[in-house]
């Protein structure tokens, strides 16, 4: 069974700062890794996904994530955050094992003006 | 574009009372429908995936009992009973079974249940 962990429950930065939200996974086979964003009071929205190829994937609104097999990681980054990026971010992992996608505990990003 | 419509968006649930939730699929290209629960700590947990009309499943989790039904190609229902703590239930859809394809999950806006 695949597992996913997000070590930071809460990250606070200032507008214009860069940010990295961490995600680590555990699974021995092929996996699909995704990031989702959840604004307060709403459902999750897909940001980006990795399965194979270029380990750096681009998403919407300037987000990108980098896959590292050696570190078992899929960290999300943004070079310059905006106050509207304040939300909870979830990392998710799927595998070819017929188990439903698993979500990390989420990281709440707070962007201060 | 909204792919899923959930109702009610929120409900006060007297302790011991069951509540029925609906999810309507707006785009038939994403027929794999699922329910996820999100607890008060924001932790997400998959509950069910029902693909075909007539599919039914039950599950008991800490804090609630669930009965899910795929009523039609476009309607998914969830009955929540014996709920002891509030939670939000999300309906999702995807093009194929996301468990072995990595397909994107599209979420509804959720049904927030508050125990009173």
């Amino acid at each position: 069974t695949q597992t996913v962990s997000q070590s930071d429950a809460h990250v606070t930065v200032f507008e214009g700062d860069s940010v990295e939200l961490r995600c680590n996974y555990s699974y021995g086979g092929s996996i699909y890794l995704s990031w989702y964003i959840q604004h307060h009071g709403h459902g999750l929205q897909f940001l980006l996904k990795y399965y194979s190829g270029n380990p750096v994937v681009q998403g919407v609104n300037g987000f990108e994530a980098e896959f590292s097999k050696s570190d078992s990681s899929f960290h999300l980054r943004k070079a310059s955050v905006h106050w509207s990026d304040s939300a909870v971010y979830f990392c998710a992992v799927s595998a070819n094992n017929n188990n439903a996608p698993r979500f990390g505990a989420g990281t709440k990003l707070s962007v201060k003006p | 574009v909204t792919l899923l419509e959930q109702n009610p968006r929120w409900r006060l649930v007297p302790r011991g009372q069951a509540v029925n939730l609906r999810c309507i699929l707006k785009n038939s290209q994403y027929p794999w429908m699922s329910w996820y629960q999100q607890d008060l700590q924001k932790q997400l947990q998959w509950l069910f995936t029902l693909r075909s009309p007539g599919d039914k499943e039950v599950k008991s989790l800490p804090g609630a009992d669930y009965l899910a039904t795929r009523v039609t190609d476009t309607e998914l229902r969830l009955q929540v009973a014996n709920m002891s703590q509030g939670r939000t239930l999300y309906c999702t859809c995807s093009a194929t079974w996301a468990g072995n394809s990595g397909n994107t999950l599209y979420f509804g806006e959720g049904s927030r249940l508050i125990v009173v």
Side-chain angles (χ1 to χ4, degrees):
Chain A
T1 302
Q2 71 273 28
T3 63
V4 57
S5 67
Q6 294 179 247
S7 52
D8 300 315
H10 199 167
V11 172
T12 301
V13 296
F14 288 96
E15 203 166 23
D17 284 352
S18 63
V19 71
E20 179 177 87
L21 305 182
R22 292 182 292 187
C23 172
N24 289 89
Y25 68 90
S26 175
Y27 188 70
S30 299
I31 55 168
Y32 307 86
L33 293 156
S34 304
W35 278 96
Y36 289 78
I37 180 174
Q38 183 179 34
H39 289 286
H40 182 70
H42 294 277
L44 280 70
Q45 289 179 281
F46 172 77
L47 274 180
L48 48 76
K49 176 168 62 181
Y50 172 82
Y51 174 59
S52 64
N54 188 336
V56 179
V57 291
Q58 306 295 326
V60 296
N61 293 335
F63 285 99
E64 68 174 32
E66 183 167 4
F67 169 72
S68 170
K69 189 171 182 178
S70 59
D71 293 340
S72 297
S73 67
F74 189 56
H75 302 329
L76 181 70
R77 301 188 294 242
K78 186 168 183 177
S80 177
V81 295
H82 187 263
W83 64 266
S84 61
D85 293 324
S86 295
V88 181
Y89 291 79
F90 291 92
C91 182
V93 56
S94 299
N96 281 327
N97 59 7
N98 232 27
N99 289 335
R102 284 181 177 262
F103 287 80
T107 298
K108 183 176 182 180
L109 175 65
S110 296
V111 181
K112 292 187 173 182
Chain B
V1 178
T2 303
L3 293 179
L4 296 164
E5 181 182 295
Q6 286 189 245
N7 62 76
R9 289 295 315 278
W10 65 274
R11 178 65 55 89
L12 299 176
V13 183
R15 196 174 291 273
Q17 196 172 94
V19 59
N20 293 303
L21 310 179
R22 288 176 78 224
C23 177
I24 304 298
L25 178 66
K26 299 292 193 180
N27 188 324
S28 60
Q29 290 187 42
Y30 305 96
W32 288 79
M33 299 179 76
S34 303
W35 287 109
Y36 277 79
Q37 78 166 19
Q38 186 173 44
D39 63 25
L40 297 177
Q41 289 72 46
K42 297 289 187 186
Q43 182 68 55
L44 280 158
Q45 182 172 356
W46 170 80
L47 295 175
F48 308 99
T49 298
L50 300 180
R51 172 62 183 88
S52 302
D55 287 350
K56 272 190 183 184
E57 281 192 46
V58 295
K59 185 171 282 189
S60 288
L61 261 64
D65 296 326
Y66 296 106
L67 166 63
T69 307
R70 184 73 180 259
V71 182
T72 65
D73 283 327
T74 58
E75 185 176 347
L76 184 68
R77 292 184 187 170
L78 184 69
Q79 184 182 85
V80 187
N82 300 318
M83 191 171 60
S84 59
Q85 282 187 323
R87 63 202 60 216
T88 300
L89 283 307
Y90 287 101
C91 176
T92 71
C93 64
S94 57
T96 59
W97 166 227
N100 57 18
S101 67
N103 250 267
T104 298
L105 288 175
Y106 297 94
F107 283 73
E109 289 288 79
S111 293
R112 185 180 175 199
L113 303 181
I114 302 161
V115 178
V116 294

